[in-house]
């Protein structure tokens, strides 16, 4: 017997709102064991990013090798990498260990909530060229999708759909572009997957000042994929949908979005930072028993 297990390859962020700290909290909240490989260290608070320090590529690779050589992984989530060296190291590890990593979710983190860059220009180019073709699920926001394609920012749902299809053509089986930058009462995310295209709507949380929602979303997707692997091991896959994991992607993403929406809503009253008006974390504690 073993729990579902996910490896996150991401940045360490001091305030715990995003990066691998948010990933690990998401995994725990959803009943999944989390392991980690650190890609870079960031000095960040609710006031913004002070500095970023990418780790050498060989050190990133050795961490991944150690995890893969020891633990039985069900899924892998990749977040902020910071540099071309780290991207190349992760891409090399994926090629070497592909069968042992499970489904791979890539959150192509490029810019922080306060606008600070989190990857070099060379790293962003390497991300699209080396890593994008190797992953199963891609979860960019609108700005990241446009940068990966070398296009301007989408201004409509139809343009987001076109960009999602263009990204899917580069390798990922599923692409989820979050549409929070579009105006409107609802947030509309576009999901392109092997079963087709779906528009996922949710009521916009007014005056949202949180950081790490995108990180948490991709981590929640990876956690759900790991839980499906657990059902498969137990011979219970049919209980979660006759179509199996491919056509179940809409259900997986919808569940992850529901977790993020609840975590965001339940963080609105938090006052954990000394900075007024800064970006706070989402509430990953929502699944804890409050009795």
């Amino acid at each position: 017997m073993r729990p579902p297990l996910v490896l996150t390859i991401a940045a360490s962020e001091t305030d715990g709102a995003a990066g691998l700290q948010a990933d690990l909290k998401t995994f725990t909240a959803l009943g999944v064991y989390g392991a980690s490989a650190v890609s870079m260290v960031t000095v960040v608070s609710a006031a913004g990013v002070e500095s970023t320090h990418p780790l050498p590529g060989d050190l990133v690779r050795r961490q991944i090798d150690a995890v893969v050589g020891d633990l039985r992984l069900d899924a892998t989530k990749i977040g902020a990498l910071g540099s071309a060296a780290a991207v190349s190291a992760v891409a090399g590890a994926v090629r070497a260990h592909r069968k042992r990593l499970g489904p791979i979710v890539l959150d192509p983190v490029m810019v922080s909530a306060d606008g600070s860059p989190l990857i070099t220009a060379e790293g962003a180019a390497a991300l699209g060229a080396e890593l994008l073709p190797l992953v199963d699920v891609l979860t960019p926001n609108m700005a990241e999708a446009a940068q990966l394609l070398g296009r301007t920012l989408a201004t409509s749902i139809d343009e987001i759909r076109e960009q999602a299809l263009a990204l899917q053509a580069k390798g990922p089986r599923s692409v989820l572009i979050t549409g929070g930058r579009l105006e409107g009462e609802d947030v509309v995310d576009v999901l392109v997957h092997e079963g087709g295209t779906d528009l996922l709507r949710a009521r916009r949380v007014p005056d949202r000042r949180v950081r790490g929602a995108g990180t948490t979303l991709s981590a929640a997707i990876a956690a759900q994929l790991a839980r499906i692997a657990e059902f498969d091991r137990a011979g219970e896959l049919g209980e979660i949908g006759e179509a199996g994991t491919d056509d179940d992607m809409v259900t997986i993403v919808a569940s992850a979005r529901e977790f993020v929406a609840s975590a965001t809503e339940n963080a609105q009253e938090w006052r954990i930072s000394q900075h007024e008006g800064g970006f706070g974390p989402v509430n990953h504690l929502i699944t804890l028993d409050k009795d």
Side-chain angles (χ1 to χ4, degrees), residues 50-66:
E50 294 183 24
S51 60
T52 61
H53 308 273
L55 297 186
D58 65 328
L59 180 55
V60 177
R61 173 63 188 266
R62 281 160 44 206
Q63 292 177 79
I64 299 170
D65 290 346

Side-chain angles (χ1 to χ4, degrees), residues 55-138:
L55 297 186
D58 65 328
L59 180 55
V60 177
R61 173 63 188 266
R62 281 160 44 206
Q63 292 177 79
I64 299 170
D65 290 346
V67 172
V68 173
D70 181 35
L71 303 179
R72 296 187 176 99
L73 299 174
D74 293 304
T76 299
K77 183 259 168 102
I78 302 171
L81 298 179
S83 68
V87 172
S88 295
V90 172
V94 170
R95 288 190 292 268
H97 304 303
R98 190 61 185 87
K99 293 183 179 180
R100 301 192 62 183
L101 294 171
I104 298 174
V105 179
L106 172 61
D107 178 14
V109 180
M110 297 181 182
V111 180
S112 182
D114 69 342
S116 300
L118 293 176
I119 193 169
T120 63
E122 295 81 4
L127 196 68
E130 297 185 48
L131 201 51
L132 199 62
L134 303 177
V135 304
D136 298 290
V137 183
L138 179 69

